[in-house]
Amino acid sequence: MWIGIDDTDSMQGGCTTYVATEIIKELSRKYDLIGFPRLVRLNPNIPWKTRGNGAIALHFGRGYGKRIEVGYIGKKIFAYEKGIDIFENVSREIKKIMEKHAFMHDEKTNPAFVICKTKPSYSLYKKAVRSIVSIGEARKEAKNCIYKTYKNGRGIIGSIAAIAWKPYDRTYEIIAYGKEKWVDEESVIKMDKECKTCFDNYDYENKHIAIMPHANSPVIYGIRGENVEELKKAMRMVVSSAIERWIIFETNQATDEHLQKKKIKDVRPYESVIVRGVVKKEPLVIKGGHVIFSIYDGDEIECAAYEPTKQFRNVIKGLRKGDVITVYGGVREKPMTINIEKIKIEKLAKVYKKIENPRCPRCGKHMKSMGREKGYRCPKCGTKAGEKDAKYVIVGRELKQTFYEVPVVARRHLAKPLKRLLA
Ligand code: ATP
């Protein structure tokens, strides 16, 4: 049986992954975990998410084949590579855990859990990671499942979509939980340098420990990586407050599964897109330090590198009219803007700088400009000349025809780091 849960936490505290550890602790007394517990990130642009729009899927049954240690929750937790499905009504046990740990009183928290016999259609996951799913659609998909929703029932969307995910691409995250929360920075840097298959642990440019959540939750840290054994080694290397439990999730983090290639005319709010175009309006720094420019592919759309993207804004400021670029990012509704996660500079335009006004062919004097892009006129004899008659030099460009991404501190869960993309 597959169990999906979502929307149990709030800004005040909690964490859906912690509720998952409680369910694993309880149900692993009777059943085996088949495959890793799954942490599935969904559409990062929906307005009603609490933080990272994460939901959980767990698969229980009778395991066989290779087993691997995936956590410690008062006892070692193992997951089996293969298993025989068991479907039982475990809603009483899950309900008890949900009602104890979910932040029900928070108006934005609308928990749900689903118990499925078979996996829902993959297309539901695809829609949930890329656009908006209605509660009705999710209920319809769950019609043969046992489920319980609380309050406005929205949690059913994430619960069922998490089960629908198939790990065509995947990464892992090891999450450590405890009462006190501190992490030794030096040990994180050492771990980051040594554990090559881990990523997004430390932001060297901004001196930021990325494995530690800011949120008020039982999570001490979460380390991301490609390799389960190296994640365990990374956990042993990080010096932190006492770890009471830990678990490894298989995730869709760092896979770019939220992105879809689009023409500008087809871009819709709350989606995440990959759009290729030519820079039309050059970058402008607005109040708050955000950098805005536009691209054109027959239609025009604004793009932004907001202040939290820090040094990435310097890349964006270097763009010039005529540069051909591909932007990757989430779409904000008003004003419709692509919030850039990464960018590929396909072709840098030649940028010219005027160094001398044209000389009058009759009297040899330097001509005077008649205004922006209006040409030149000789002040003595009135002879006219065009813009092209002035003397120009080609300006060197600092940018290269390659990818640039936001720093680790501003990285979205689903965004594929260049370390993975270009590997
Ligand atoms: P995290 O556990 O990482 O903090 P979160 O708290 O940010 O995640 P949730 O609290 O799970 O996010 O809130 C997201 C809510 O939005 C859930 O109720 C979920 O069912 C719903 N949801 C998720 N994806 C979609 C989607 N594509 N369309 C509509 N609703 C969605």
Side-chain angles (χ1 to χ4, degrees), residues 18-303:
Y18 184 84
V19 181
T21 65
E22 285 290 297
I23 295 175
I24 294 168
K25 185 170 92 178
E26 175 62 29
L27 294 191
S28 62
R29 295 203 278 175
K30 247 175 114 179
Y31 311 100
D32 299 320
L33 257 180
I34 306 172
F36 284 82
R38 292 178 173 181
L39 166 58
V40 182
R41 300 285 177 181
L42 299 169
N43 187 346
N45 309 314
I46 54 158
W48 45 84
K49 64 174 185 172
T50 314
R51 284 184 295 268
N53 201 6
I56 298 290
L58 307 169
H59 190 192
F60 287 99
R62 189 65 53 231
Y64 64 89
K66 204 173 129 194
R67 70 171 200 167
I68 164 163
E69 190 183 348
V70 295
Y72 177 87
I73 313 171
K75 62 175 183 193
K76 283 185 179 178
I77 303 291
F78 294 92
Y80 288 81
E81 198 180 27
K82 295 180 189 147
I84 298 160
D85 247 308
I86 296 175
F87 184 73
E88 274 172 16
N89 189 347
V90 288
S91 54
R92 206 170 49 89
E93 290 91 324
I94 298 177
K95 184 170 173 281
K96 214 166 131 194
I97 293 167
M98 292 287 280
E99 287 171 14
K100 181 168 173 204
H101 293 281
F103 276 64
M104 298 283 183
H105 49 274
D106 189 297
E107 75 166 304
K108 280 185 90 181
T109 303
N110 298 286
F113 66 84
V114 180
I115 308 163
C116 298
K117 204 171 198 164
T118 51
K119 264 167 89 74
S121 130
Y122 179 65
S123 61
L124 185 88
Y125 158 72
K126 255 186 135 171
K127 189 167 181 196
V129 76
R130 292 181 167 185
S131 60
I132 305 229
V133 174
S134 69
I135 298 176
E137 276 173 273
R139 278 189 195 276
K140 209 164 133 196
E141 192 70 41
K143 68 177 184 299
N144 296 323
C145 310
I146 297 168
Y147 66 84
K148 175 151 180 65
T149 62
Y150 298 85
K151 296 164 71 185
N152 78 10
R154 193 183 276 142
I156 194 165
I157 302 167
S159 308
I160 192 100
I163 304 177
W165 177 53
K166 286 185 188 161
Y168 294 120
D169 185 15
R170 64 165 75 81
T171 63
Y172 299 90
E173 178 162 350
I174 192 163
I175 304 186
Y177 305 84
K179 280 203 182 64
E180 272 181 65
K181 292 198 291 175
W182 64 263
V183 167
D184 173 65
E185 189 164 353
E186 286 307 309
S187 72
V188 176
I189 296 172
K190 191 158 180 267
M191 173 276 286
D192 184 69
K193 291 194 168 145
E194 206 168 309
C195 300
K196 301 282 185 225
T197 61
C198 298
F199 54 83
D200 290 357
N201 302 310
Y202 190 76
D203 187 328
Y204 292 90
E205 285 174 294
N206 297 294
K207 297 195 172 10
H208 170 78
I209 305 175
I211 64 170
M212 249 182 114
H214 302 291
N216 184 16
S217 83
V219 174
I220 306 174
Y221 62 75
I223 309 171
R224 292 158 189 219
E226 309 277 350
N227 180 292
V228 169
E229 290 313 314
E230 193 153 47
L231 279 177
K232 291 182 192 167
K233 173 180 164 186
M235 182 175 71
R236 288 192 296 271
M237 287 186 75
V238 170
V239 177
S240 73
S241 51
I243 296 172
E244 289 177 354
R245 59 179 74 183
W246 60 271
I247 191 90
I248 299 176
F249 288 99
E250 182 176 47
T251 87
N252 63 344
Q253 290 169 167
T255 61
D256 271 354
E257 285 187 354
H258 59 316
L259 296 168
Q260 42 188 334
K261 272 193 190 150
K262 290 247 172 162
K263 286 278 175 204
I264 293 173
K265 69 175 170 33
D266 300 322
V267 170
R268 298 286 172 270
Y270 307 123
E271 292 183 347
S272 299
V273 292
I274 304 175
V275 175
R276 185 184 159 112
V278 179
V279 174
K280 190 164 181 204
K281 269 191 226 117
E282 292 200 349
L284 185 75
V285 182
I286 62 164
K287 204 174 151 213
H290 315 302
V291 186
I292 315 286
F293 66 100
S294 79
I295 55 170
Y296 183 80
D297 70 353
D299 293 276
E300 187 176 356
I301 193 163
E302 295 216 310
C303 302

